[in-house]
Amino acid sequence: MKNIAILLFSVIFGSILPFLAQADEFQSTSFKVLEPVLNPAGYSTSSGYSLWGTIAQIAIGTSTITSYNLSSGFLFFPFASSPALSATAGDGQVSLSWNASQGFLGWTASGYNVGRSTTSGGPYTYSASLGNVTSSTRTGLTNGTTYYFIVRVEDAFGNSIATSSEASAAPAAAPAPTPTPTPTGGGGGGGGGGGAFAPQIPSATKVILKGRAYPAADLVVFKDGTTVVTPEADSAGNFEVSVSVEGGIYTFSVYAIDADNRRSITSSFTIQVSSGQTAVISGIVIPPTLGADKSQVKFGNDIKFFGYAYPASSINVTISSSHIITDKTKSDKLGFWDYVLDSEILERGDHTTKSQTVTPDNIISPFSESLAFRVGDQDVAFVSRIREALRPAPAAPTCNKNGDINKDGKINLIDFSIMLFFWNQRDPKNPCADINQDKIVNLSDFSIMLYWWTG
Amino acid sequence: MDRVITKLETHNMKHKIFQYLFAAVVLVLPFFAGAQSLLLKSAKTTYLAGDSFQATLSINTEGKQINTIAGTVKLPISNLQLLDVRYGSSILTLWVERPKINASAGTISFAGGVPGGFSGSSGPILSFSVLAKSAGSAEIKLSDFSILLNDGLGTEIKNIGLGSLKLAIQKAPTTPKAPATKPAEPPKPKEEYILPPDTTPPESFIPMISKHPTVADNKYFVSFSAVDKDSGVAYYEVSESPWLVSLFAKKFNKGPERTEPPYILKIQHWPTEIIVKAYDQAGNFKESSATKPPSAAFIASAVMILLLGSIGLTFWFSTRHHGRLRKRVV
């Protein structure tokens, strides 16, 4: 009996421990929450009321009616990014693939399921949980009918924690093999005759990328590391580009440059496209750009973080120090956002901040780059690392820390070539090839270069 | 007083040790479940000696975004033989070291990356075909793997789940000598993996010419990287054709030379057309070109020659003209 109890204890404790280990401790000037336990729950809604989570001291979420607002939990917002979803039509089927959702503050993407509808916007019929995968082929579909799909992200308990935007595709029968033309009519051997067969024009193979950036932002799209198109987002911040491909597995990456010449981090999507097919990657939300007015703030003074994001969106701002602080702000109609932090709630020392966009229809971007700042004894103005990287620097003895080895404002094949020239060398003649300055040019330097790649 | 451990106590102790071990496994497993894992797969796990088959290596990033993978696939050469490796369908597009077979060691080594990063549950890295040589058990293993996060810091992931592929190679049945009265049964056909044909050349690419004080004493070099979606790019060839000169004498052309980037140009001063050919493993190629501008020394020399030429012409013309005028006056 005792043995069974030990086994049972082991199983239960072993299953629970990972979730307990995910909790963070929080504090503000007037309260402290130590060793919190997250307890997600399901949704419930009625005509004038919606509830996300359990209303209890240990729950997370917000319930709203017209005249009443309740924020429960730790005053923190666990969230998970929305996957960008691609749909490729086949014969009686649609292949879906999406990028992994990133959870934060206790939420972890543990599985996905697919919602399907023949009407845009739903209601959707959901599949059973597909497990922690990033692709699925939906079969048994009717050729010629347009299907609309969304992907729902689930936590370990099966609760939905994020949703992709909608992607659509219309399955179509595979083209019949091109028939050998035979003369029709015309009799008598020869000449010219009928030609009843119109030559079959092979369909173009292409990938369409749809998403949201910042109003009039310059975008750079690269395919397998090479820049293929540099479109501009429209005045509402939306973009759509089409790229011709030959067929195979491709990695598409996109980043945006805002009105202040600040660059977003790169978002990437790997997709398989067969010859003759069109794949649509939709729901790309470019993370916000991020700047600060100071790189060091005098303890007790304000520090302002700002940047551009999709207009009229909610911006999650996260400060990481010995504990994590999250808060929200809004982007205006031009996409500009800012957030002022009173440094008094932080201790002296180094901290980082990052942000993400929550669009008006609740599609959540991945995080922006992480920006370091310091709380110290005096204010020091900030010089943006990315802006510096994008600006061709004069011949200076200092190296860019982003892989722009030749300092031409781009991180591309030339820098890769220079890196290969010094590959595995200790204390290379060009110290900038050793990006992380660890005295050897190796995979770590290569990885940093790929992160900052501009194509 | 010494305590005598009875048989029953020994049994109980064993039982408890088992329980504690079980508890430890249950406690530890969930932490490993989140580690990034590399998976080796083949269609079957049992083959006959003489069969050939394909195996694939893929990655599950478990929600993380990675951008660099390097490592070695190792086969037991006693009963398996590497035939071919393909990496056209890889998530990796920039190769520091393209997958390379070392037949005598039975290894495939590679190091590559993907700009912008990759996150997914089954990202293909490479596939390889194998010949089962002789009966026995065989395990294809992964070693010396590094996976780096796409975090801008080059952070290497610890505790990578390295899968292995355990195979059973059975002796191929020999055709029995049939008794005179019974017709002999035909031998079971050998399983053979036939590589899909690759008739598509690599995709278009753009060579880039530049120079840098620290690279080969500030000489011009050309950078290039092509992608082939079938068998993968195998090698590059570079040739140089000097402008105008190549129209009259091909002997001043350089190459084609089999090379890897960066290729230091042989003609440094004269303006040249650089032709780069990317060949895939099936021998298909894609050609692309770039123009190297004249060097500063070349431009200075040309300007000097033009200047001297024009001075000479002016002098010659004025002398001649002045002579004629003088004759007329006389």
Side-chain angles (χ1 to χ4, degrees):
Chain A
M1 198 64 187
K2 193 179 158 194
N3 298 337
I4 293 169
I6 291 173
L7 281 175
L8 203 61
F9 171 77
S10 308
V11 172
I12 293 168
F13 190 59
S15 311
I16 288 172
L17 193 64
F19 304 114
L20 291 179
Q22 289 167 357
D24 288 295
E25 294 178 353
F26 312 108
Q27 65 180 35
S28 76
T29 46
S30 56
F31 77 94
K32 213 174 224 184
V33 183
L34 297 174
E35 297 181 3
V37 178
L38 296 171
N39 184 19
Y43 294 150
S44 60
T45 52
S46 73
S47 54
Y49 162 85
S50 70
L51 169 65
W52 292 2
T54 318
I55 303 179
Q57 217 173 346
I58 55 167
I60 310 153
T62 305
S63 61
T64 315
I65 59 173
T66 45
S67 58
Y68 174 71
N69 236 3
L70 167 66
S71 291
S72 58
F74 309 124
L75 300 180
F76 292 95
F77 318 92
F79 32 78
S81 62
S82 303
L85 174 63
S86 76
T88 312
D91 187 359
Q93 64 179 39
V94 172
S95 301
L96 302 171
S97 65
W98 55 91
N99 52 5
S101 170
Q102 299 167 348
F104 190 66
L105 274 182
W107 272 359
T108 305
S110 301
Y112 300 86
N113 61 14
V114 170
R116 188 183 93 189
S117 176
T118 49
T119 310
S120 178
Y124 303 98
T125 307
Y126 286 92
S127 68
S129 180
L130 300 167
N132 202 356
V133 297
T134 51
S135 62
S136 173
T137 301
R138 313 314 295 172
T139 54
L141 308 181
T142 308
N143 286 338
T145 302
T146 301
Y147 290 88
Y148 300 88
F149 299 93
I150 63 167
V151 167
R152 221 161 56 173
V153 186
E154 296 173 336
D155 66 5
F157 303 98
N159 298 307
S160 177
I161 55 173
T163 308
S164 76
S165 66
E166 191 180 74
S168 65
T178 310
T180 310
T182 50
T184 55
F197 286 96
Q200 194 167 2
I201 301 164
S203 328
T205 312
K206 60 183 175 182
V207 174
I208 295 169
L209 295 101
K210 292 180 184 177
R212 304 172 216 199
Y214 334 126
D218 291 322
L219 293 146
V220 178
V221 178
F222 42 96
K223 180 188 77 176
D224 292 337
T226 304
T227 303
V228 285
V229 59
T230 53
E232 188 179 283
D234 65 19
S235 58
N238 300 307
F239 67 90
E240 180 172 336
V241 293
S242 177
V243 181
S244 295
V245 295
E246 291 175 15
I249 291 179
Y250 294 90
T251 297
F252 283 91
S253 309
V254 55
Y255 67 85
I257 299 168
D258 69 18
D260 289 339
N261 206 26
R262 237 176 244 105
R263 197 195 119 182
S264 75
I265 62 161
T266 305
S267 301
S268 289
F269 318 91
T270 301
I271 187 169
Q272 172 140 27
V273 197
S274 300
S275 184
Q277 285 186 327
T278 296
V280 181
I281 304 171
S282 52
I284 300 166
V285 183
I286 303 290
T289 52
L290 178 59
D293 62 348
K294 302 177 187 81
S295 60
Q296 178 171 291
V297 57
K298 186 180 175 186
F299 181 77
N301 285 0
D302 286 346
I303 181 169
K304 188 197 262 186
F305 305 115
F306 51 84
Y308 281 84
Y310 192 66
S313 297
S314 180
I315 309 296
N316 292 332
V317 181
T318 300
I319 316 291
S320 295
S321 55
S322 59
H323 54 278
I324 296 172
I325 298 168
T326 57
D327 206 346
K328 293 188 177 192
T329 184
K330 281 255 175 198
S331 60
D332 63 20
K333 62 181 180 182
L334 297 174
F336 184 78
W337 66 272
D338 62 10
Y339 178 79
V340 178
L341 176 75
D342 180 355
S343 66
E344 203 174 64
I345 64 166
L346 301 173
E347 66 275 25
R348 283 181 169 81
D350 295 321
H351 310 271
T352 59
T353 180
K354 54 187 179 178
S355 61
Q356 66 180 166
T357 305
V358 183
T359 65
D361 56 346
N362 216 31
I363 304 299
I364 306 171
S365 79
F367 273 112
S368 68
E369 67 155 329
S370 193
L371 187 78
F373 66 97
R374 189 172 174 79
V375 177
D377 296 326
Q378 58 179 2
D379 288 337
V380 178
F382 189 87
V383 181
S384 165
R385 198 164 37 142
I386 294 180
R387 290 178 77 184
E388 282 299 296
L390 286 171
R391 188 183 303 151
T398 53
C399 297
N400 289 316
K401 290 177 181 170
N402 56 10
D404 181 13
I405 301 172
N406 63 351
K407 300 177 185 171
D408 67 347
K410 292 177 183 170
I411 298 121
N412 59 15
L413 276 181
I414 296 173
D415 302 296
F416 180 51
S417 269
I418 297 174
M419 175 179 276
L420 291 181
F421 187 80
F422 294 107
W423 191 252
N424 267 339
Q425 286 187 20
R426 293 190 176 275
D427 291 318
K429 186 180 171 188
N430 185 340
C432 299
D434 176 18
I435 302 168
N436 61 357
Q437 305 286 299
D438 67 347
K439 307 284 182 195
I440 186 166
V441 182
N442 60 11
L443 285 179
S444 292
D445 305 300
F446 180 49
S447 173
I448 295 168
M449 177 179 280
L450 294 179
Y451 177 80
W452 292 107
W453 194 262
T454 61
Chain B
M1 198 173 104
D2 288 345
R3 198 165 163 266
V4 181
I5 299 172
T6 63
K7 201 177 173 183
L8 185 65
E9 277 177 319
T10 314
H11 175 78
N12 283 346
M13 274 171 69
K14 279 181 182 172
H15 208 90
K16 274 187 179 166
I17 287 168
F18 168 76
Q19 285 162 0
Y20 289 132
L21 273 175
F22 180 80
V25 168
V26 168
L27 289 172
V28 168
L29 262 181
F31 294 103
F32 278 103
Q36 289 60 43
S37 48
L38 291 156
L39 311 164
L40 275 168
K41 274 184 190 169
S42 64
K44 298 192 302 182
T45 52
T46 303
Y47 291 94
L48 298 176
D51 286 353
S52 62
F53 58 93
Q54 189 194 34
T56 57
L57 172 65
S58 62
I59 183 170
N60 182 353
T61 68
E62 301 285 358
K64 293 272 192 307
Q65 195 167 49
I66 59 104
N67 66 14
T68 302
I69 307 173
T72 302
V73 182
K74 191 160 175 44
L75 288 82
I77 51 171
S78 55
N79 50 3
L80 296 180
Q81 184 188 337
L82 273 167
L83 299 174
D84 177 87
V85 59
R86 295 210 161 189
Y87 41 90
S89 297
S90 178
I91 54 163
L92 306 177
T93 51
L94 276 180
W95 296 99
V96 173
E97 183 191 351
R98 280 192 293 276
K100 199 167 57 187
I101 289 179
N102 181 335
S104 57
T107 59
I108 305 168
S109 300
F110 69 92
V114 50
F118 169 80
S119 168
S121 56
S122 60
I125 299 169
L126 54 84
S127 63
F128 50 96
S129 50
V130 181
L131 172 69
K133 288 194 298 187
S134 55
S137 60
E139 186 174 4
I140 304 176
K141 292 179 179 174
L142 304 174
S143 66
D144 302 325
F145 264 80
S146 298
I147 303 176
L148 279 70
L149 288 175
N150 186 47
D151 62 356
L153 301 170
T155 308
E156 190 171 342
I157 297 172
K158 307 287 180 200
N159 300 325
I160 306 166
L162 294 179
S164 68
L165 180 58
K166 288 179 181 167
L167 300 165
I169 312 297
Q170 295 174 345
K171 201 174 171 186
T174 48
T175 313
K177 281 188 180 173
T181 50
K182 249 185 167 179
E185 274 185 34
K188 197 179 169 187
K190 201 166 66 171
E191 195 165 319
E192 193 177 358
Y193 175 71
I194 299 166
L195 285 167
D198 175 8
T199 54
T200 311
E203 301 203 338
S204 301
F205 64 103
I206 303 170
M208 301 169 94
I209 292 166
S210 70
K211 61 177 186 170
H212 194 269
T214 62
V215 177
D217 299 323
N218 207 23
K219 286 181 177 167
Y220 280 101
F221 62 90
V222 59
S223 312
F224 41 84
S225 176
V227 173
D228 180 78
K229 293 296 176 186
D230 289 315
S231 54
V233 169
Y235 62 93
Y236 298 93
E237 269 183 8
V238 177
S239 50
E240 303 171 54
S241 307
W243 276 7
L244 299 172
V245 176
S246 64
L247 294 175
F248 306 106
K250 297 284 180 200
K251 68 174 184 176
F252 292 106
N253 290 4
K254 302 289 178 190
E257 183 178 325
R258 202 160 160 158
T259 186
E260 292 293 327
Y263 172 81
I264 313 297
L265 295 175
K266 302 226 169 1
I267 304 170
Q268 283 289 320
H269 298 300
W270 199 271
T272 46
E273 188 188 15
I274 314 298
I275 294 167
V276 182
K277 284 183 181 177
Y279 286 84
D280 66 19
Q281 295 196 83
N284 307 301
F285 71 87
K286 177 73 83 180
E287 184 178 298
S288 196
S289 66
T291 303
K292 186 195 82 66
S295 68
F298 178 89
I299 294 169
S301 307
V303 168
M304 190 63 79
I305 289 166
L306 281 173
L307 200 66
L308 288 173
S310 59
I311 290 170
L313 273 174
T314 312
F315 180 73
W316 174 76
F317 183 77
S318 61
T319 314
R320 206 175 155 195
H321 194 64
H322 188 68
R324 276 184 191 164
L325 278 175
R326 220 167 39 181
K327 271 183 189 172
R328 276 186 203 167
V329 172
V330 173

